[in-house]
Amino acid sequence: NAGVTQTPKFRILKIGQSMTLQCAQDMNHNYMYWYRQDPGMGLKLIYYSVGAGITDKGEVPNGYNVSRSTTEDFPLRLELAAPSQTSVYFCASSYSPGSGEQYFGPGTRLTVT
Amino acid sequence: DQQVKQNSPSLSVQEGRISILNCDYTNSMFDYFLWYKKYPAEGPTFLISISSIKDKNEDGRFTVFLNKSAKHLSLHIVPSQPGDSAVYFCARGSYIPTFGRGTSLIVHP
């Protein structure tokens, strides 16, 4: 099993550009999450999904969009990139929202200049 | 509103000694707390969890204690090893998980 994979690993965007961060998991988990981590801060939840076709906002959703057409994939879309979106982005999946541990991808380091 | 707080940004410990990482929470309606470990340039990995109906959970060198009256949990690592040097996050298990800011543990040989 590959677990949770994320692409790309690194990306530099210019202000106003758009991009999609890819996330895939092969564990058949229903629950998937997108987080961002800023320096010295914890993980902030951007969006989450409880199954294919169902997504909802987390703590910091502004400037982002998601979709979940399959159980495996959960892409995160950045529209009109801003310097405030410079961060490390982690995707995670889980079999249970409460007691279940989350499995994280390796992260995408994004810089917006 | 930070529902899970880790007030110590860093901790330095000698190899072989005990490491104690602390976490406070502000909302009692949690069923599970989880600890994650993160190495640089990697995603967090799950370490250990505890249900709110328990006071203690142990897994090898790692033990988590939950003090519900004080709304406090702690992770004990005994004995500490240099490979334990990482950032440790506590988190509450929920549909909308909440993570603390993390504590950077350095274990000196």
Side-chain angles (χ1 to χ4, degrees):
Chain A
N1 286 350
V4 178
T5 57
Q6 290 183 240
T7 56
K9 283 187 170 31
F10 304 94
R11 184 73 186 267
I12 298 174
L13 278 183
K14 293 189 185 302
I15 294 171
Q17 288 185 321
S18 300
M19 76 165 294
T20 299
L21 281 66
Q22 301 292 343
C23 174
Q25 54 95 5
D26 61 0
M27 296 171 282
N28 203 34
H29 288 165
N30 281 327
Y31 301 92
M32 294 189 74
Y33 311 85
W34 272 106
Y35 296 92
R36 58 177 288 172
Q37 185 189 17
D38 299 322
M41 303 294 286
L43 299 165
K44 299 284 188 183
L45 184 66
I46 305 171
Y47 270 95
Y48 68 100
S49 170
V50 301
I54 306 170
T55 63
D56 207 347
K57 296 177 180 179
E59 188 180 355
V60 290
N62 291 344
Y64 307 94
N65 273 302
V66 294
S67 59
R68 183 101 181 267
S69 56
T70 66
T71 299
E72 294 77 21
D73 300 299
F74 191 38
L76 177 72
R77 177 83 178 161
L78 278 72
E79 305 282 0
L80 298 174
S84 61
Q85 292 177 304
T86 294
S87 190
V88 181
Y89 292 83
F90 292 101
C91 178
S93 73
S94 171
Y95 60 87
S96 167
S99 61
E101 64 193 84
Q102 293 185 50
Y103 295 79
F104 284 83
T108 294
R109 184 174 295 273
L110 176 68
T111 302
V112 182
T113 61
Chain B
D1 177 26
Q2 234 187 323
Q3 295 186 5
V4 178
K5 294 183 181 181
Q6 293 177 261
N7 292 318
S8 299
S10 63
L11 175 67
S12 183
V13 171
Q14 204 67 31
E15 181 179 6
R17 300 289 185 101
I18 184 171
S19 294
I20 300 176
L21 297 102
N22 296 303
C23 184
D24 297 305
Y25 60 94
T26 58
N27 187 329
S28 301
M29 301 299 290
F30 299 155
D31 290 328
Y32 277 87
F33 291 96
L34 304 96
W35 284 92
Y36 291 84
K37 176 180 180 178
K38 184 184 180 302
Y39 292 118
E42 294 184 11
T45 55
F46 171 74
L47 195 56
I48 191 170
S49 64
I50 188 165
S51 163
S52 60
I53 63 172
K54 292 187 174 181
D55 298 322
K56 174 183 173 181
N57 189 25
E58 196 170 354
D59 184 3
R61 297 185 297 114
F62 302 91
T63 303
V64 57
F65 296 92
L66 179 60
N67 183 333
K68 289 181 277 292
S69 61
K71 297 185 180 178
H72 177 84
L73 64 155
S74 59
L75 174 68
H76 292 212
I77 307 173
V78 184
S80 301
Q81 300 173 352
D84 295 330
S85 297
V87 176
Y88 291 79
F89 294 98
C90 67
R92 69 171 179 92
S94 169
Y95 276 99
I96 303 181
T98 305
F99 284 76
R101 294 188 175 190
T103 297
S104 176
L105 173 65
I106 299 173
V107 181
H108 298 280

